[in-house]
Amino acid sequence: MSPITVAEDPTCSTTNVSSQSERGPRHVNLEALTATPQSPSSSWHEDVHCISPKDTSNPLRPPTFRTIDLTRTHQKQHLAASFRVLARQGFDEGTAGHISLRDPENPSHFWINPLAKHFSQIRVSDLVLVSEDGIILPGGAQSPINAPAFAIHSAIHRARPDLNAACHAHSVYGKAFSCFGRPIEMLYQDALRFYNDLAVYPRYGGTVLTAEEGERIATALGPKCRSVILQNHGMITCGKTVDEATFLFIALDRCCHAQLLANAAVCPGFEKRVIDDEMAKVGYKRSGNSSKMWLAFQPYYGQVVKEEPDLME
């Protein structure tokens, strides 16, 4: 769900561009530049539990664009918005925390936040493009990045070509639950998003400053999971889109919170009851699929774009 007008990437096509004053920013209507709308598909509607009007395209799905430049601009906007959303959730702590997004044209390159810039102030123009070898590339901001962030994200992007984004921050409940070195239990509906899709890195390897430690984390994530709890550290969530990865992080932190509350309440007569595997499988398919996770982030995106439009600069 794109905003009606968004800040134009300097390399974007200028078709249908409406200029403001020479001193003001130029904007491009991405909606006008999208490819021919796709007809609603039953699988998409089933994934997101959507009933749409008849004879209309479905706007509640990731848009497609005619050029790589427009695709990149759209994705960078959602990446910048993700930092603002995490800031609103209180998931910021000094220089800790980072989200990466694979470049749509060069899969071995990814976009990431600059070091020591608060999540609440990150704009599209602040995003840094880095190679898999750790070289800051032209095309993005020429700013330093967090070395542990590079070690973690580069390893994940190399190991998992199916995942385009990874999110890590030092949230309070994620940190608290990570000390157990175990996954959350299937105690409530929202936890089913992580049914058989949450790995654990069962050791603490210190601040991640080496490629080897990053590779161990990527190995713990495994070939299929989207999320991993890092013992005594926190958690990482990933997705096909940055929207998916970011929403999963919010969801997992809240699940950790709920798990801690449930554990604290256990006493005779108040034993925990775990959802059985059969229902958990159904719940995961219905509430944890990538389409639903992308859609779940859109209310956060719409709110932050409306209230903090400077993030598009």
Side-chain angles (χ1 to χ4, degrees), residues 248-267:
L248 281 173
F249 192 91
I250 295 170
L252 184 53
D253 186 75
R254 292 183 178 178
C255 285
C256 289
H257 187 184
Q259 177 84 63
L260 292 168
L261 291 175
N263 288 353
V266 170
C267 63

Side-chain angles (χ1 to χ4, degrees), residues 60-116:
L60 299 178
R61 63 190 309 162
T64 57
F65 301 95
R66 294 174 182 157
T67 69
I68 285 291
D69 288 335
L70 289 171
T71 299
R72 181 182 292 113
T73 297
H74 172 80
Q75 292 182 2
K76 288 171 64 181
Q77 290 170 348
H78 282 244
L79 175 57
S82 293
F83 291 108
R84 302 288 185 109
V85 169
L86 290 196
R88 289 176 172 227
Q89 298 291 322
F91 298 159
D92 52 281
E93 186 171 337
T95 60
H98 19 86
I99 310 174
S100 65
L101 174 65
R102 196 188 302 275
D103 185 77
E105 183 176 18
N106 302 295
S108 63
H109 301 165
F110 59 88
W111 297 89
I112 198 165
N113 49 306
L115 181 64

Side-chain angles (χ1 to χ4, degrees), residues 1-293:
M1 293 165 60
S2 302
I4 295 177
T5 57
V6 293
E8 182 191 5
D9 185 287
T11 59
C12 280
S13 164
T14 56
T15 307
N16 290 338
V17 169
S18 58
S19 299
Q20 296 183 353
S21 66
E22 292 183 1
R23 291 178 297 173
R26 299 177 68 204
H27 292 74
V28 58
N29 188 331
L30 288 186
E31 189 173 339
L33 290 169
T34 57
T36 303
Q38 303 174 33
S39 59
S41 66
S42 58
S43 61
W44 175 269
H45 284 70
E46 290 172 0
D47 281 349
V48 302
H49 313 153
C50 175
I51 300 175
S52 294
K54 294 182 178 179
D55 303 321
T56 182
S57 62
N58 184 359
L60 299 178
R61 63 190 309 162
T64 57
F65 301 95
R66 294 174 182 157
T67 69
I68 285 291
D69 288 335
L70 289 171
T71 299
R72 181 182 292 113
T73 297
H74 172 80
Q75 292 182 2
K76 288 171 64 181
Q77 290 170 348
H78 282 244
L79 175 57
S82 293
F83 291 108
R84 302 288 185 109
V85 169
L86 290 196
R88 289 176 172 227
Q89 298 291 322
F91 298 159
D92 52 281
E93 186 171 337
T95 60
H98 19 86
I99 310 174
S100 65
L101 174 65
R102 196 188 302 275
D103 185 77
E105 183 176 18
N106 302 295
S108 63
H109 301 165
F110 59 88
W111 297 89
I112 198 165
N113 49 306
L115 181 64
K117 192 172 186 70
H118 197 272
F119 282 5
S120 68
Q121 297 179 339
I122 290 179
R123 303 164 299 170
V124 171
S125 58
D126 294 318
L127 299 173
V128 180
L129 182 63
V130 61
S131 74
E132 62 182 0
D133 300 317
I135 298 172
I136 305 299
L137 299 169
Q142 297 302 293
S143 303
I145 63 172
N146 186 300
F150 173 77
I152 293 171
H153 291 266
S154 61
I156 290 175
H157 286 297
R158 281 195 304 271
R160 294 291 300 275
D162 59 313
L163 300 175
N164 294 315
C167 180
H168 173 62
H170 290 185
S171 61
V172 172
Y173 299 115
K175 287 190 292 187
F177 189 76
S178 75
C179 72
F180 297 107
R182 60 183 298 171
I184 60 172
E185 298 173 81
M186 299 298 106
L187 297 176
Y188 35 85
Q189 178 172 290
D190 291 343
L192 302 183
R193 296 178 178 127
F194 302 96
Y195 177 72
N196 284 345
D197 197 357
L198 176 60
V200 174
Y201 180 43
R203 59 168 286 182
Y204 175 65
T207 300
V208 184
L209 292 174
T210 65
E212 291 75 18
E213 182 65 7
E215 289 167 2
R216 284 191 285 268
I217 291 173
T219 298
L221 182 64
K224 295 183 179 180
C225 286
R226 292 177 296 181
S227 306
V228 57
I229 289 177
L230 311 177
Q231 183 177 301
N232 308 113
H233 186 166
M235 55 199 194
I236 298 172
T237 57
C238 307
K240 295 178 181 178
T241 62
V242 70
D243 309 63
E244 178 183 7
T246 304
F247 178 75
L248 281 173
F249 192 91
I250 295 170
L252 184 53
D253 186 75
R254 292 183 178 178
C255 285
C256 289
H257 187 184
Q259 177 84 63
L260 292 168
L261 291 175
N263 288 353
V266 170
C267 63
F270 284 85
E271 294 81 11
K272 292 181 293 186
R273 298 186 179 182
V274 178
I275 297 172
D276 65 68
D277 285 343
E278 182 178 355
M279 287 305 302
K281 289 177 183 177
V282 174
Y284 173 74
K285 183 177 180 180
R286 290 178 176 174
S287 64
N289 66 77
S290 292
S291 299
K292 188 70 177 290
M293 297 299 88

